[in-house]
Structures are given as C-alpha cells and as structure tokens.
Amino acid sequence: MNVLAGFAEQHDIAYPLLSDEGSVVIGRIGMLNDRVFEQHAAYGVAPREQHMGTPYPGVLLLDEQGVVIGRRFQQSYRERETAAGLLEQGFGGHASTHGIEDRAGSAGVSVRAALDSETFRFFQRLWLTVELTVDPGLHIYGRPIPDGYVPLSVEVAPAENMVVGEPVWPETRPFRVEGLDEQFQVYEGTVALALPVTFTARGMSDQTVRVTVRYQACSAADCLMPAALSLELPVRTADLVS
Amino acid sequence: MTTELPPLPVVDFSRIGPALGSRFPDIALPDQNGRTVELHTARAGRRALVVFHRSAAW
C-alpha cells in the first residue's frame, strides 16, 4: 500500500489505485498475462519471478450499469496510450485538452497537425492528428486515384527510435467530373486522420516530429497547384517512473 | 554482433478479460489510502474506466 500511496502522491493522482495482492482478482476475471515471459523474450528481457501475476495492460470502459462497452488492448505490453489518445482513438470521445500543434495552409485549405501530448515516455503511444479544412466548393483527392492526380498524403520524417504506424484514414466520397470517365474519391469540408507515434528507446532527448502533408485542391471546374506543407511538432522527453 | 530476438507473440485479446457486453465482475480491493473500494459502489451510477497496470513499484 505504501507503494500506491507514494505513486499517487508523486503523480498527483486523485482516482483510486487498487492493489490486487497475489493477483487474485486479476486471475479471477481472466486478465492474467500468462505470456509475459514470451513477451519479455521478444524484448530481450530476462524472466523474473515478480513478473508473474501481472495483468495484460488493457483498458475497459464501463457504462452507467457497469457493463463493458469498450475494450482497448495493445499487442505490445510496453505500449501505453495517452489519456487523450485512449479517449479519442479508443472510445470515440473528445478530449478537452491536447498537446502541441502547428498550422499551415494554402489557397482554400488550412492544415493543423497536433500531437496529443507535449511530452513522451518510453513506449508511450502518442497520436498525431492531421486535420485539413477545405473551403466550400473545393475538394481534395483520396485513394484510389487515377494517374496524374495528387492524393492526400501524410508523411512523417523518419527518426531514430521513432515508430510511426499506419494512418487511420477517414471515408472518402465518390466524385465524378462531367465529361471525364475517371471516378475520383474525394474529401470535402473537414478531414482528420490520425497516426500512432511511439518512441522506443530509453533516455531519448527531446524530439521534433516533422510532418509533410501533400494534396491538391480542386473545384468541379479546375484545380489549384499541388501543395506540400511542412509542419513541426516539438515534443519533450519525460522521465520514466523510477 | 547482434542477437536475433524472437517475435512478440500475437495474443487474441477477444479471449482476455471481461467480454464486451458483459457486466464487469464485482470486485473489492484496497486503494492507495488503505480503504476497500467496491468498484460498482464507488462508480455511484457513473461510467468508469478500469485501467490494468502491472505495478507502481517497477
């Protein structure tokens, strides 16, 4: 109990931290991680007895009646999401605070990139959100796309010990230009997509996530020049809990 | 020289823990202040996030 009290005080935690001595409840409700040594082996960690009895680091959302209405697990037991990431990517909610953002734009389109935390920790999963707002009457292209057109793309500059996952793409809308045979998939209005970003080494220095967003905005009549915008999101390293 | 590590095992999480749509079991455990918390009583009719963590000690 001293451990939990100290942890709560150190991190200013007001919600209940429950202690499951002997992992009795963890076992009873089927959360026991019985593959921890296999997972350790994948990271080159030697097995230790204290690792027995740990739960899978899952998160369950209960409704007002106590019924499980959301479950969030990661294959890597190391990977944890930010609170904002859990809420938005895991359970479809909306977080009231976000980390850092940068903005850019071109004629008819504004772009905002944001990370859901100002800091990162070892194996914490941050979400990079890229949001484009396209003026009425314009659209940008998604995929699939005929040759010669520029689809919306988001590229994160590679950095050592930074892993960027596949983006979660929003739905496109089919679009046809009169007089052309080609069928297009387009985005209009506000388009938001999210990519997971994880830093996988201990003791990393502060980082800058560099994002390039490419697209071409068109109306039903004609197209603007293709755009390639650079956005930068500095993120500070946070010490691990010792 | 680098040593090849085995891949991370793929876990079928649909079989782990309380299922979607089921009522979370009744549990009662001590909190950081030494008080026993009965989860569903403590929720007091509100939603709750139950976060499983390995340990606060290491």
Side-chain angles (χ1 to χ4, degrees):
Chain A
M1 223 50 52
N2 289 339
V3 170
L4 289 184
F7 188 86
E9 193 181 325
Q10 188 183 352
H11 298 283
D12 209 14
I13 292 171
Y15 53 81
L17 298 176
L18 306 183
S19 171
D20 185 20
E21 198 93 24
S23 306
V24 177
V25 168
I26 289 167
R28 176 160 66 82
I29 68 175
M31 287 294 295
L32 188 70
N33 184 352
D34 51 7
R35 303 186 74 173
V36 67
F37 289 163
E38 285 175 75
Q39 295 170 327
H40 275 355
Y43 289 117
V45 176
R48 267 186 287 166
E49 201 173 329
Q50 66 173 359
H51 299 156
M52 307 272 285
T54 54
Y56 283 109
V59 180
L60 304 187
L61 174 63
L62 313 188
D63 73 2
E64 289 81 353
Q65 280 71 48
V67 171
V68 179
I69 55 169
R71 290 163 43 95
R72 187 80 164 166
F73 289 86
Q74 307 297 338
Q75 283 295 339
S76 168
Y77 67 159
R78 285 186 164 175
E79 202 160 321
R80 312 294 159 78
E81 290 180 291
T82 63
L86 256 182
L87 192 58
E88 297 195 331
Q89 302 299 326
F91 302 123
H94 188 74
S96 58
T97 57
H98 286 90
I100 35 177
E101 65 169 40
D102 192 13
R103 289 171 187 271
S106 65
V109 181
S110 62
V111 179
R112 172 182 168 274
L115 275 175
D116 60 9
S117 176
E118 294 174 2
T119 60
F120 68 94
R121 295 174 191 273
F122 178 60
F123 264 97
Q124 185 179 36
R125 175 185 284 193
L126 273 56
W127 283 92
L128 165 65
T129 304
V130 176
E131 188 179 277
L132 294 90
T133 306
V134 183
D135 280 359
L138 294 177
H139 56 258
I140 57 177
Y141 297 108
R143 292 171 197 271
I145 187 165
D147 284 348
Y149 295 88
V150 179
L152 171 63
S153 71
V154 173
E155 187 186 317
V156 180
E160 204 179 348
N161 299 315
M162 181 180 79
V163 177
V164 180
E166 286 300 309
V168 179
W169 291 95
E171 294 269 321
T172 53
R173 180 176 89 73
F175 184 83
R176 200 174 267 283
V177 181
E178 233 168 279
L180 289 182
D181 289 338
E182 292 155 322
Q183 165 98 9
F184 297 94
Q185 297 294 325
V186 302
Y187 299 109
E188 293 165 314
T190 300
V191 189
L193 60 108
L195 303 86
V197 177
T198 308
F199 297 94
T200 59
R202 295 184 196 274
M204 289 176 74
S205 56
D206 295 349
Q207 302 287 312
T208 298
V209 178
R210 296 171 207 281
V211 188
T212 304
V213 181
R214 292 187 175 84
Y215 58 85
Q216 185 169 20
C218 298
S219 68
D222 55 6
C223 285
L224 304 173
M225 289 289 286
L229 306 178
S230 297
L231 299 100
E232 293 196 351
L233 300 163
V235 59
R236 296 192 321 277
T237 185
D239 288 333
L240 271 179
V241 176
S242 55
Chain B
M1 196 185 95
T2 56
T3 311
E4 190 82 6
L5 294 173
L8 206 58
V10 176
V11 179
D12 177 6
F13 285 110
S14 68
R15 303 160 62 94
I16 304 294
L20 210 56
S22 70
R23 186 171 184 278
F24 193 89
D26 290 308
I27 64 167
L29 288 169
D31 71 5
Q32 64 266 41
N33 303 308
R35 283 190 296 259
T36 298
V37 173
E38 201 288 301
L39 174 67
H40 291 299
T41 307
R43 287 194 304 105
R46 296 167 300 180
R47 291 183 166 204
L49 263 191
V50 184
V51 180
F52 290 86
H53 199 269
R54 55 166 202 217
S55 169
W58 49 273

